[in-house]
Amino acid sequence: MSARTVSLVLSAVLVLYFVLLGGRAVALFRDGSPIAVAFGIGVLLLPIVGAWVVWSTLRFGMRTSELGKRLDAEGGLPDTSGLPRLPSGRVDRKAADEWFEERRAEVEAAPEDWRAWYRLAVAYDIAGDRGRGRDAMRKALELAQD
């Protein structure tokens, strides 16, 4: 199953869960006691926050995908197929570090180029640093909008 299919299925399950939580919140409101109403508000906030998180994550993924397609159309999508891999499929750590340093140098040479930031995000991902990879991708998205 593709990552897109998995995310859509999980989003659908979350929507169902949010609807069920909303029903519980309404039941608590109908009770009318101050404690039940307070719990109802809390239970109602969970799906609202959850929906925002799901939307933010899906939006980030869609924008990232579009940026990747744009970079691919330009012929600038990073190719990691030549990097040595471990039996698990992960890129060898030393090779990942070397490839990362090359991408970092690209960003230092052209800090306003969204393409370099996109490739740096991929390098962070290969190196196993997903948090910094997301930050680099956010920077690429920001620069691509200008």
Side-chain angles (χ1 to χ4, degrees):
M1 223 185 302
S2 72
R4 183 179 211 171
T5 304
V6 170
S7 66
L8 290 175
V9 168
L10 289 176
S11 296
V13 169
L14 278 172
V15 166
L16 176 64
Y17 179 69
F18 296 156
V19 168
L20 293 174
L21 273 178
R24 295 291 177 212
V26 169
L28 287 166
F29 288 140
R30 284 186 181 152
D31 181 89
S33 71
I35 292 176
V37 170
F39 277 125
I41 291 170
V43 168
L44 192 58
L45 287 176
L46 289 173
I48 291 170
V49 171
W52 177 81
V53 169
V54 167
W55 170 247
S56 297
T57 303
L58 289 176
R59 184 171 173 256
F60 179 77
M62 289 184 296
R63 292 176 62 212
T64 299
S65 177
E66 288 300 316
L67 204 57
K69 289 175 187 173
R70 186 171 153 193
L71 189 57
D72 189 30
E74 295 176 2
L77 202 60
D79 181 18
T80 61
S81 62
L83 296 175
R85 298 192 179 266
L86 301 173
S88 65
R90 293 184 58 96
V91 175
D92 176 70
R93 183 65 181 191
K94 184 178 178 189
D97 289 344
E98 289 172 6
W99 200 77
F100 172 82
E101 288 303 323
E102 292 170 12
R103 303 297 77 78
R104 189 169 61 140
E106 280 182 31
V107 168
E108 288 173 357
E112 298 302 315
D113 183 12
W114 68 266
R115 295 158 189 86
W117 282 98
Y118 186 99
R119 288 187 284 268
L120 181 64
V122 172
Y124 271 124
D125 185 57
I126 287 173
D129 192 344
R130 297 260 162 88
R132 288 185 181 158
R134 283 182 182 270
D135 291 342
M137 191 59 75
R138 283 186 191 97
K139 181 69 174 178
L141 288 165
E142 175 187 317
L143 291 171
Q145 286 181 342
D146 296 339

